[in-house]
């Protein structure tokens, strides 16, 4: 499958939303407080408090906003957050998306949470039965640990209600241009007080079917591929519609048990499934006029040109099925024990995900490998499977003391294991007739035991992460100072193999089990001052980090051929060996921020603003080699500076206005050997 490098976003973003919605017209005698903006209570600092009292830059969406703005997916709310961007930076579709906040881009730089559970940032949980969403900008390394160096996105679900039976149902149908089918969606939520004040059950479910707006055109008669079918002609082509249609469905069931007046236990199961019959991606032809290197037909049929954004047709030699499925389950148990001096929270979770995707490789295999040896085109594809599980346990205590000192203290443990981020199981990439084409009839197999194998690999990874974290604050009149620390340790173990033509053929290239270890301390310092109870200014300095790790080996390849990775590596960096490409170290950054939060006119207007400067060192970047492989290296440094501003106002009871603006200027300031990035002057 195609692999894209991790890029640092270097353009500023201006993102704004202006929304006005109608609601019930309130009677004139309603008091002034009813015209105040709704307050969103967040747990960004591991304790419940108003968003306006949290001294950091954040965007929130309450349950009413989610409903009124028809927010159902990540795309719906992410496009409304200043200085948040996202893009596909990996293979396929299911695990390709990454999130960037304040220009900090790449794999594992933004944390994604459902309640207390950290999840992959490529996940797109359905926004259904959600209490609120928090988007925290800047590193949250003291309380949320690794992979939150750019920021954190938290989805907080609604909890079962012990008092009231309730239910909601939604259904909708729509159509999209360039489709031949309609779009259909529906969801339902029901809350049942099983035993009043003691046990409550909450169940939700949804289905969403989106029609595909891409088409696949392929050669009707494969025997004419090189003559009359490609490049694209007006004859010999069959077109299928509804490519990249996606069906997504799932739900959740949670049970709240009030063991005592102060102790609540909440087990929950959440599942989601998605299947798609193609990828929502437009073709990009690498050579103008003759994208795949096919001979121009004598008929003079027009050749394909460079991709245009308006092109929704995927040109293929064969009608090779593409697409796959993404399924995940989240099992969790939450425990809340409330006392007069604080709250104990325990969260235990187990996450299980499997993504299986198949991509057509026919054109690449023929044009790049077999056509030069006189081979005929044949349908070829590559299958990639990512299958992994993660156990997470967190226990913490958040104080509610009577004096000027407050604190949060906790322990965290995570155990991740599975085939990720690199796994292409057998059959992997297979091209029928490959061995006979390259070795001649009866010449045997390039990879013994695996006929016609282009490439396959299978690497198993285990990551164990214990941590201790906490912060303490001291308040003196209107001034509060906070110090946060997180001790962490990361142990990564990996082993596996890869084989096939592109590794040099012959026996499998085996990587024995290897281990990398890192540990350190992540600090945060913050002071805030309340000019009035509703007006605050703050300043902070916080550190974020991303763990290092192990990657599949770069194979030596076949000397003197296009698969010779030893020679490719020397061209890129003569001081590095194949063994050196196996591991990489953590990278880290410091974020310096000043901001203000204000509520005016009896809480009918809020104004929040922040400015930041980020210094990023030892950036993890993929280095691509001419042999077709890549490795991850710590290469270079960067800075990012900018700010955000958000305004919410309720001039009239039925009307609410919101505006968000963000600006960022992120630049590479130092490049490493082999780094794909250039210094931005």
């Amino acid at each position: 499958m195609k692999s894209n490098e991790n890029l640092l976003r270097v353009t500023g973003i201006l993102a704004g939303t202006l929304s006005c919605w109608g609601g019930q017209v309130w009677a004139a005698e309603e008091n002034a407080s009813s015209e105040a903006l709704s307050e969103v209570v967040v747990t960004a600092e591991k304790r419940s408090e108003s968003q306006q009292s949290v001294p950091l830059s954040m965007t929130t969406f309450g349950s009413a906003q989610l409903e009124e703005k028809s927010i159902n997916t990540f795309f719906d709310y992410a496009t409304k957050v200043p200085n948040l961007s996202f893009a596909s930076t990996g293979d396929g579709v299911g695990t390709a998306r990454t999130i960037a906040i304040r220009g900090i881009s790449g794999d594992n730089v933004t944390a994604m949470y459902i309640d207390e559970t950290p999840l992959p940032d490529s996940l797109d949980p359905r926004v259904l039965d959600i209490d609120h969403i928090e988007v925290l900008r800047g590193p949250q390394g003291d309380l949320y640990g690794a992979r939150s160096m750019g920021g954190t996105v938290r989805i907080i679900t609604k909890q079962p209600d012990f008092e009231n039976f309730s239910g909601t149902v939604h259904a909708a149908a729509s159509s999209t241009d360039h489709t031949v089918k309609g779009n259909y969606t529906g969801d339902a939520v029901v809350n049942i007080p099983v035993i009043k004040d003691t046990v409550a059950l909450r169940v939700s479910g949804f289905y969403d079917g989106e029609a595909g707006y891409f088409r696949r055109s392929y050669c009707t008669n494969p025997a004419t591929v090189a003559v009359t079918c490609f490049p694209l002609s007006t004859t010999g082509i069959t077109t299928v519609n509804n490519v990249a249609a996606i069906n997504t469905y799932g739900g959740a069931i949670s049970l709240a048990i009030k063991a005592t007046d102060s102790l609540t236990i909440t087990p929950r199961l959440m599942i989601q499934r998605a299947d798609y019959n193609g990828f929502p991606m437009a073709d990009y032809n690498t050579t103008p006029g003759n994208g795949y290197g096919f001979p121009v037909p004598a008929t003079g049929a027009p050749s394909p040109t460079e991709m245009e954004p308006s092109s929704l047709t995927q040109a293929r030699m064969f009608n090779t099925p593409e697409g796959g499925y993404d399924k995940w389950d989240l099992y969790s148990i939450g425990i809340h024990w409330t006392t007069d001096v604080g709250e104990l929270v325990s969260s235990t979770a187990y996450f299980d995900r499997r993504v299986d995707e198949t991509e057509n490789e026919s054109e690449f295999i023929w044009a790049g490998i077999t056509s030069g040896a006189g081979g005929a085109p044949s349908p070829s594809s590559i299958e990639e499977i990512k299958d992994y599980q993660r156990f997470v346990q967190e226990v913490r205590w958040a104080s509610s003391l009577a004096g000027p000192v407050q604190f949060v203290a906790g322990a965290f443990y995570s155990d991740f294991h599975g085939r990720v981020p690199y796994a292409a199981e057998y059959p992997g990439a297979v091209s029928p007739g490959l061995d006979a084409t390259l070795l001649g009839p009866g010449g045997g197999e390039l990879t013994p035991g695996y006929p016609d194998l282009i490439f396959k690999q299978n690497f198993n990874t285990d990551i164990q992460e214990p941590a201790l974290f906490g912060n303490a604050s001291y308040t003196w009149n209107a001034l509060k100072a906070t110090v946060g620390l997180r001790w962490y340790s990361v142990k990564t173990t990996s082993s596996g193999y890869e084989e096939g033509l592109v590794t040099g053929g012959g026996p499998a290239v085996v990587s024995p089990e290897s281990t990398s270890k890192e540990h350190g301390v992540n600090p945060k310092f913050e002071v805030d001052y309340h000019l009035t109870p509703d007006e605050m200014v703050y300043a902070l300095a916080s550190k974020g980090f991303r763990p290092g790790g192990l990657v599949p080996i770069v194979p030596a390849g076949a000397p003197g051929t296009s698969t010779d990775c030893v020679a490719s590596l020397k061209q890129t960096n003569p001081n590095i060996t194949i063994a050196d490409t196996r591991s990489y170290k953590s990278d880290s950054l410091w974020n310096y921020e000043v901001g203000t939060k204000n509520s005016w006119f009896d809480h009918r207007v809020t104004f929040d603003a922040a400015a930041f400067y980020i210094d990023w060192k030892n950036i993890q970047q993929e280095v691509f080699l001419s042999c077709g492989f890549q490795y991850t290296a710590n290469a270079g440094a960067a800075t990012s500076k900018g700010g955000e501003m958000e305004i919410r106002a309720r001039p009239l009871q039925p009307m609410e206005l919101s505006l968000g603006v963000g600006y960022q200027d992120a630049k590479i300031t130092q490049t490493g050997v082999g780094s794909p990035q250039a210094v931005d002057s």
Side-chain angles (χ1 to χ4, degrees), residues 19 21 25 87 113 118 143 149 161 196 316 416 424-425 465 510 541 572 583 638:
S19 60
W21 56 82
V25 179
Y113 274 72
L143 295 180
M149 61 193 300
D161 182 354
K196 189 175 182 180
R316 301 289 184 266
F416 170 98
E425 277 196 320
E465 300 179 56
V510 178
T572 303
S583 64

Side-chain angles (χ1 to χ4, degrees), residues 637-659:
T639 62
S640 180
K641 57 187 176 181
E644 305 93 21
M645 179 195 69
E646 291 185 289
I647 302 173
R648 291 179 62 207
R650 174 163 283 167
L652 300 172
Q653 174 52 44
M655 176 184 292
E656 182 173 319
L657 305 175
S658 63
L659 174 67

Side-chain angles (χ1 to χ4, degrees), residues 398-632:
S399 71
S400 56
L401 305 175
V405 176
Q406 301 292 346
F407 67 90
V408 173
F412 174 89
Y413 178 76
S414 168
D415 187 355
F416 170 98
H417 58 276
R419 293 178 297 187
V420 70
Y422 308 92
E425 277 196 320
Y426 182 78
V430 175
S431 178
L434 174 69
D435 293 338
T437 297
L438 299 181
L439 300 177
E445 296 173 344
L446 288 165
T447 304
Y450 298 97
D452 303 322
L453 181 65
I454 299 292
F455 176 67
K456 71 165 183 157
Q457 67 177 193
N458 193 355
F459 280 82
N460 292 277
T461 301
D462 185 86
I463 306 173
Q464 297 177 327
E465 300 179 56
L468 299 173
F469 64 89
N471 64 32
S473 64
Y474 182 85
T475 302
W476 183 69
N477 294 330
L479 179 67
K480 184 179 74 173
T482 303
V483 175
L485 290 174
R486 187 183 189 97
W487 172 86
Y488 66 89
S489 176
V490 182
K491 177 183 177 181
T492 303
T493 304
S494 180
S495 63
Y497 65 90
E498 53 193 12
E499 56 187 326
L501 171 67
V502 296
T503 68
V509 182
V510 178
S511 170
E513 183 174 280
S514 56
T515 301
S516 69
K517 297 180 181 179
E518 292 184 307
H519 63 273
V521 175
N522 236 35
K524 178 180 179 179
F525 308 95
E526 184 270 327
V527 293
D528 59 79
Y529 183 79
H530 280 264
L531 305 171
T532 71
D534 295 327
E535 297 174 305
M536 175 181 66
V537 293
Y538 69 88
L540 64 84
S542 56
K543 185 181 180 181
F545 81 103
R546 174 173 46 170
L550 302 169
V551 296
I553 44 179
V554 174
T561 71
S562 60
T563 66
D564 188 347
C565 288
V566 174
S568 298
L569 194 60
K570 289 187 178 297
Q571 293 174 358
T572 303
N573 185 352
N575 298 317
I576 194 172
T577 66
I578 291 289
D580 295 330
T581 66
R582 184 79 174 99
S583 64
Y584 56 96
K585 301 297 184 180
S586 62
D587 56 353
S588 62
L589 56 79
W590 274 95
N591 171 68
Y592 306 95
E593 180 178 330
V594 294
T596 181
K597 290 193 169 185
N598 308 272
S599 295
W600 298 322
F601 305 109
D602 293 326
H603 301 280
R604 294 171 62 176
V605 176
T606 62
F607 173 80
D608 300 343
F612 65 87
Y613 176 83
I614 295 174
D615 189 14
W616 191 0
K617 303 293 186 183
N618 298 318
I619 301 175
Q620 296 174 12
Q621 296 190 57
E622 286 189 355
V623 178
F624 289 82
L625 303 174
S626 59
C627 64
F629 286 82
Q630 69 272 347
Y631 66 96
T632 302

Side-chain angles (χ1 to χ4, degrees), residues 76 91 128 142 144 213 285 308 353 357 379 401 403 427 431 463 502 516 570 576 645:
D76 295 334
D91 300 339
L128 173 64
D142 60 330
Y144 295 95
Y213 48 85
N285 298 316
E308 296 179 359
R353 188 183 192 188
E357 297 181 320
L401 305 175
S431 178
I463 306 173
V502 296
S516 69
K570 289 187 178 297
I576 194 172
M645 179 195 69

Side-chain angles (χ1 to χ4, degrees), residues 82-162:
N83 279 345
L84 183 150
S85 57
F86 52 93
S88 293
T89 59
D91 300 339
V93 171
T95 60
R97 191 203 66 208
T98 59
I99 304 172
I101 297 178
R102 291 180 168 177
I104 308 305
S105 174
D107 291 332
N108 297 319
V109 296
T110 302
M112 167 76 78
Y113 274 72
I114 294 181
D115 293 329
E116 306 294 339
T117 305
L119 300 169
D121 64 351
S122 61
L123 217 61
D124 189 2
R126 179 76 170 193
V127 181
L128 173 64
D129 203 29
I130 302 302
D131 183 80
H132 69 278
I133 295 175
E134 307 171 7
V135 179
L136 317 180
R137 285 180 283 265
Q140 310 296 319
D142 60 330
L143 295 180
Y144 295 95
R147 306 171 189 86
S148 61
M149 61 193 300
T152 301
V153 178
R154 304 184 69 227
I155 300 174
I156 310 301
T157 63
K158 290 183 178 180
Q159 300 301 303
D161 182 354
F162 292 103

